[in-house]
Amino acid sequence: GREDFHARVTIADEQRHEPETAGDRTPRLRIDGLSAGTKLVDVSFELYAGEVLGLAALEGQGQDELFGVLSGAARPAGGSVEVDGTEVRFGHPADAIEAGVVLVPGDRAEGLLPQRSVRENIALPYVAPLRAWGPIPMGKEKARVDMAIERLAIDTRAQGEVRQLSGGNQQKVTVARWIAGGVQTLLCFDPTRGIDVGTKRQIYHLLRDLAAAGSAVLLYTSELEEVQLVCDRAVVIFGGRVVDEMPADIADEAALTRAAYGLPRETPREVTV
């Protein structure tokens, strides 16, 4: 519960390090003036390898459209996206995956084949085209699938169908799919919504491990306390624009909430003697 967030050292503090953003370092993702639909107006930020960047926003501020563009599910109306210094225009999620940009959606149903097994779901990105009938052949991918299952402690007792798993285990399967392939850039859209605290902590640790191994993680969360718990820094969107950016050490729930409502940061009160 809520007390769990405040009764312990944050996971990010255990593993946080400054991403190498200085000098001529090329960001993994550079978003410049991006607009899409009616809600995403003008968003710019950079995401570097080796960091978890938190994205905070109230509902309907353009975050859905942003993740849609970055994952290849939607087309931008304006602005640009660069991956490792090269401008990209994704026409399909497969284009984003090919560029190393992959999505873990908040809705597990969007990312899983519910009537397939755990192993088949994790192996799915390595099998193209998908067979309409029969088992998905995993072949040489078996070792990587096994590694991902072990790393996330996924309950594989329900070997028949992934829909038999708990919501938390289903979400771990969506993450494990990309771990098995050596993810470069992971887009997480509210990945811990509606799952138990223990599974949340496993996912937090995994995101930090990925960053430590050189991946870049963009994490949108509706639970603002998660930002300080797991992220290196945060950007805040209001009205389809980035209205603030702050390091994690000051990105507490109060500061993020003010920014998410479009309010300026509170200035320290002067003490008069």
Side-chain angles (χ1 to χ4, degrees), residues 12-58:
D13 281 342
E14 297 168 8
Q15 300 171 290
R16 183 176 286 135
H17 65 285
E18 290 298 320
E20 299 173 38
T21 57
D24 296 326
R25 175 91 167 151
T26 301
R28 179 63 52 79
L29 279 182
R30 186 194 301 274
I31 316 302
D32 186 21
L34 198 65
S35 62
T38 59
K39 293 182 178 178
L40 193 70
V41 179
D42 180 10
V43 165
S44 302
F45 63 85
E46 296 175 345
L47 170 65
Y48 289 84
E51 74 168 339
V52 181
L53 175 63
L55 178 69
L58 302 175

Side-chain angles (χ1 to χ4, degrees), residues 34-225:
L34 198 65
S35 62
T38 59
K39 293 182 178 178
L40 193 70
V41 179
D42 180 10
V43 165
S44 302
F45 63 85
E46 296 175 345
L47 170 65
Y48 289 84
E51 74 168 339
V52 181
L53 175 63
L55 178 69
L58 302 175
E59 187 174 350
Q61 301 303 308
Q63 63 268 45
D64 296 81
E65 290 79 3
L66 172 63
F67 273 71
V69 170
L70 296 181
S71 65
R75 301 288 183 91
S80 64
V81 177
E82 293 181 7
V83 176
D84 293 326
T86 300
E87 186 170 353
V88 295
R89 287 194 174 271
F90 301 143
H92 188 275
D95 299 333
I97 294 170
E98 181 69 22
V101 181
V102 299
L103 174 68
V104 174
D107 183 357
R108 272 82 73 182
E110 293 180 15
L112 296 173
L113 297 177
Q115 294 181 318
R116 297 284 190 169
S117 72
V118 170
R119 293 176 182 278
E120 286 176 310
N121 270 274
I122 295 173
L124 185 60
Y126 317 111
V127 183
L130 178 64
R131 291 185 176 184
W133 305 102
I136 297 172
M138 290 180 288
K140 64 182 180 180
E141 310 302 337
K142 184 179 184 302
R144 287 196 288 180
V145 171
D146 288 344
M147 176 273 294
I149 288 172
E150 181 179 0
R151 188 170 179 184
L152 273 166
I154 296 170
D155 184 351
T156 57
R157 288 175 293 181
Q159 287 290 343
E161 299 177 356
V162 77
R163 66 180 176 180
Q164 297 172 8
L165 297 178
S166 66
N169 270 291
Q170 287 182 1
Q171 189 63 297
K172 286 197 288 186
V173 170
T174 66
V175 177
R177 171 180 297 164
W178 305 119
I179 302 308
V183 64
Q184 293 175 291
T185 305
L186 191 65
L187 311 173
C188 296
F189 193 92
D190 224 4
T192 65
R193 182 181 60 200
I195 63 179
D196 65 272
V197 171
T199 302
K200 284 183 180 184
R201 286 185 62 81
Q202 287 180 312
I203 291 176
Y204 299 155
H205 278 292
L206 180 67
L207 297 183
R208 292 309 318 175
D209 287 345
L210 287 172
S215 296
V217 180
L218 179 64
L219 171 66
Y220 164 70
T221 174
S222 58
E223 298 185 32
L224 296 180
E225 53 268 76

